[in-house]
Amino acid sequence: MKNFTYYRPLSLEAAVALLDTRWGTTELLAGGTDLLDLQKEYIAQPDKVVSLTFIQDPVFTRIEVPQILPGTKPTVSIGAAVKIADIAEHAELKHLFPALTDAAAQVGGPQIRNMGTLGGNLCQRNRCWYFRDEHVLCLLKGGRRCFAADGENRYHAIFTKGHPCVIVHPSTLAPALIALGASVEVLGPNGKRTIELSKFFQAPTKPDQREHVLAPNEIVVRVLIPVEGLRNASYEVRHKQSYDWPLAQAAVAFRLIGGKATDVRIVLGHVAPTPHVATEAQKVVEGQTITRELAEKAGEAATAGAVPLSQNAYKVHLVKVAVKRALLLASGAQPDWVI
Amino acid sequence: MSQTHPPPGKPGISRRQFLTGTGLGAAATALLRTSEAPTQANQAQAPKTVGFGPNPVACELLVNGARITVHIEPRVTLLDCLRHYMDITGPKRVCDRGTCGACTVLLDGRPIYACTMLALEAQGKKIETPESLYEDGQLHRVPAAFVQYDAQQCGFCTPGFVMAMKACFDRNPNATPAEVEQGLAGNICRCGTYQQMRDALRSLCKKGG
């Protein structure tokens, strides 16, 4: 790891003041589970590391669930510095947003969840092995081409149309949060702004872009989730039960009125450079009663537009399964599959 | 204490220098004299956030109940700080990428990977390493169960597994075997002594932790 100067601001404003207007020279450190790996591999070589660990601001460090009364539109606030383990184990969040807490409970292992934060999970870099190899000059590091496009790409994107870099977005919390209609409050030199989470991610194609739309001198302060009484669930297909990245993930949310699903959101993870909203699948489910047959149809529709790479056509099937199972879980059906 | 810049160009203590000391206590006392640690109280009074490093800075950690101060560069991980600067070698350096769990220590009671945290980030927190599991000639019941059920082969992963398992029982003395196994999901044993570890943890669950 290249050495650096370590800063320990005690307020979010002081942290923003330390940030550069360019990427690469200064990095924010929260849980460190991603940044330290990137530094050890010389993918990140910052001169300055700004630690967010000692900022006590409750907006940044706490989960706030307001009292939920009929006729009100309450919003849950989760500080960006909240540990993933604390989201996974929060009783009220489990009740309101099982899509989020189930996804959180499956992030890495216990140690990763005790270290990693919500903000870090949303802002982490992608896991492409070409990107993470110091010796490979890929598109994201200023090179001329994406090596995964026709190389070792079994864990890469299947929604590849229009994407010169075929990474998958690594966050499993993001698809759940997008399905729940969450937004992100960020702080920059000109104050706070709020971004809908569905517009927070971008597919990077060059070194001065990240997987999100934040400016280099902006910090995620908190995530806001409206409490809308949505049924919701997340389902991940993975090689191993624990400590593994999903091969495909589906997060769903909908309102159930008179047995019919409305306001349907279906968001896929680990199949595209950003969390992928499955518009066609949403149309299939909208206004319908969720049955096994309908869930299967939605799964088929979710793969519309998929153009898999040489080694990952298998993911197309996994998307169908993930969407079907997430819909069934959210509708309250007992899982009939063996894990 | 007023805010001061870290000592310019002060070299960190090497492992060799450290080992030639007469012991941990003596070495730590000697080191304490050199400069102040970058504590939070210092920073709160500072109008502008002062940076630490890249030269070695003083770092005080609370490890197994003892306050130990060393001089380290900011890039030194908690694991390397414990092993190379404090001679606390219970946590093992195996993958050094937050994957295998051999470096597991407890930070304020929660298991974390010491290899994936900067030592400076662990300041002010209570750190427990495998060394804390042997007190007054008495072996803690978790490693004792590992011995009884022969739950190790090469032994490299064992300190990490023991700490992760201890954290499960500290948190819930009535944890079920399935819950404890989930608590071990962040550790890996290449020798494959999982069955013996299962036997060990079942025996501990029966005793109510």
Side-chain angles (χ1 to χ4, degrees):
Chain A
M1 194 187 311
K2 201 187 91 174
N3 206 4
F4 49 81
T5 310
Y6 170 87
Y7 291 84
R8 187 181 284 178
L10 297 178
S11 72
L12 287 163
E13 290 74 15
V16 167
L18 288 163
L19 298 179
D20 201 345
T21 50
R22 294 171 300 158
W23 288 116
T25 55
T26 306
E27 294 286 352
L28 284 169
L29 172 66
T33 53
D34 191 29
L35 180 62
L36 261 64
D37 268 13
L38 290 166
Q39 287 180 286
K40 286 174 187 176
E41 301 294 345
Y42 294 93
I43 306 303
Q45 300 187 35
D47 303 316
K48 283 160 74 175
V49 169
V50 178
S51 166
L52 301 173
T53 307
F54 296 83
I55 296 172
Q56 305 278 342
D57 191 338
V59 168
F60 186 59
T61 58
R62 285 197 203 150
I63 300 174
E64 296 289 347
V65 182
Q67 207 180 355
I68 293 153
L69 300 165
T72 60
K73 282 190 177 171
T75 302
V76 167
S77 165
I78 310 178
V82 170
K83 300 288 182 193
I84 291 167
D86 292 330
I87 295 173
E89 290 158 15
H90 196 280
E92 285 166 292
L93 291 184
K94 272 188 190 175
H95 174 68
L96 292 170
F97 310 127
L100 173 65
T101 54
D102 284 355
Q106 294 181 74
V107 171
Q111 290 92 331
I112 294 285
R113 295 193 290 273
N114 285 334
M115 303 168 80
T117 63
L118 172 59
N121 184 275
L122 298 178
C123 297
Q124 63 185 311
R125 300 307 314 263
N126 73 82
R127 308 296 306 179
C128 175
W129 35 43
Y130 294 107
F131 171 71
R132 291 203 174 234
D133 186 331
E134 184 197 350
H135 307 289
V136 177
L137 193 63
C138 77
L139 211 53
L140 291 192
K141 291 184 284 188
R144 283 195 210 152
R145 57 180 293 237
C146 169
F147 291 90
D150 54 359
E152 294 291 337
N153 53 33
R154 58 191 170 279
Y155 301 134
H156 289 74
I158 56 171
F159 292 93
T160 51
K161 243 185 244 171
H163 293 307
C165 159
V166 293
I167 56 163
V168 294
H169 195 275
S171 171
T172 52
L173 305 187
L177 287 167
I178 291 172
L180 292 165
S183 52
V184 186
E185 191 178 276
V186 305
L187 181 71
N190 302 319
K192 279 185 180 168
R193 66 178 177 129
T194 305
I195 311 168
E196 279 175 52
L197 199 62
S198 57
K199 294 176 182 151
F200 181 78
F201 300 104
Q202 66 177 3
T205 55
K206 45 188 179 180
D208 62 352
Q209 286 179 333
R210 293 258 160 124
E211 290 81 352
H212 51 72
V213 300
L214 289 187
N217 53 3
E218 285 182 312
I219 296 177
V220 177
V221 177
R222 59 175 168 165
V223 171
L224 298 160
I225 316 172
V227 181
E228 299 179 310
L230 302 178
R231 301 281 195 116
N232 60 91
S234 167
Y235 187 86
E236 295 173 20
V237 184
R238 22 166 95 230
H239 272 309
K240 299 193 294 172
Q241 281 181 11
S242 64
Y243 213 105
D244 202 1
W245 299 91
L247 301 167
Q249 175 199 11
V252 304
F254 52 82
R255 201 179 308 281
L256 205 58
I257 301 172
K260 311 260 189 221
T262 59
D263 198 4
V264 180
R265 303 99 183 253
I266 301 177
V267 188
L268 309 178
H270 293 266
V271 288
T274 62
H276 180 82
V277 179
T279 327
E280 293 303 314
Q282 291 179 170
K283 284 184 201 156
V284 169
V285 181
E286 190 68 38
Q288 304 294 314
T289 305
I290 293 177
T291 60
R292 212 186 151 75
E293 290 67 38
L294 184 87
E296 257 168 41
K297 263 190 216 161
E300 290 281 344
T303 62
V307 183
L309 303 167
S310 58
Q311 297 176 348
N312 68 4
Y314 74 97
K315 278 196 178 192
V316 175
H317 180 68
L318 299 188
V319 165
K320 294 178 190 172
V321 175
V323 168
K324 179 180 76 180
R325 291 184 178 181
L327 281 168
L328 289 173
L329 282 175
S331 70
Q334 283 302 313
D336 60 353
W337 53 85
V338 181
I339 296 170
Chain B
M1 287 198 297
S2 63
Q3 176 63 56
T4 55
H5 286 276
K10 186 139 290 205
I13 188 154
S14 74
R15 182 176 168 84
R16 181 159 298 148
Q17 286 168 323
F18 187 93
L19 290 174
T20 52
T22 51
L24 200 58
T29 316
L31 284 163
L32 267 170
R33 274 187 265 115
T34 47
S35 83
E36 329 163 18
T39 62
Q40 224 168 306
N42 282 348
Q43 289 242 332
Q45 296 157 8
K48 200 167 165 241
T49 315
V50 176
F52 298 99
N55 295 320
V57 294
C59 173
E60 183 192 83
L61 296 180
L62 179 59
V63 190
N64 302 330
R67 289 188 185 281
I68 307 169
T69 301
V70 290
H71 279 78
I72 52 166
E73 291 179 341
R75 64 177 157 180
V76 173
T77 62
L78 175 57
L79 177 65
D80 288 347
C81 181
L82 290 168
R83 289 183 60 83
H84 298 173
Y85 293 81
M86 296 178 173
D87 204 28
I88 297 169
T89 54
K92 298 289 178 262
R93 195 186 208 255
V94 178
C95 77
D96 198 36
R97 294 292 184 278
T99 306
C100 75
C103 66
T104 300
V105 300
L106 307 191
L107 196 74
D108 283 344
R110 290 171 143 199
I112 59 122
Y113 295 135
C115 73
T116 304
M117 175 175 277
L118 296 179
L120 289 171
E121 290 280 284
Q123 285 189 290
K125 304 249 172 39
K126 203 177 134 203
I127 301 158
E128 291 169 72
T129 74
E131 279 81 355
S132 68
L133 301 178
Y134 185 73
E135 264 184 341
D136 305 325
Q138 188 77 32
L139 192 59
H140 186 278
R141 60 189 184 281
V142 171
F146 270 68
V147 174
Q148 190 186 340
Y149 288 90
D150 197 18
Q152 63 277 313
Q153 191 171 310
C154 82
F156 255 90
C157 72
T158 311
F161 268 103
V162 166
M163 293 312 285
M165 201 183 287
K166 176 186 183 280
C168 292
F169 287 117
D170 283 355
R171 210 174 144 194
N172 178 10
N174 301 313
T176 64
E179 285 166 353
V180 181
E181 281 184 27
Q182 285 205 337
L184 304 180
N187 295 68
I188 190 166
C189 168
R190 286 292 302 269
C191 305
T193 56
Y194 295 112
Q195 192 48 50
Q196 292 91 323
M197 280 193 252
R198 283 200 166 110
D199 295 342
L201 72 90
R202 287 217 173 87
S203 80
L204 291 165
C205 288
K206 265 185 216 148
K207 288 176 202 157

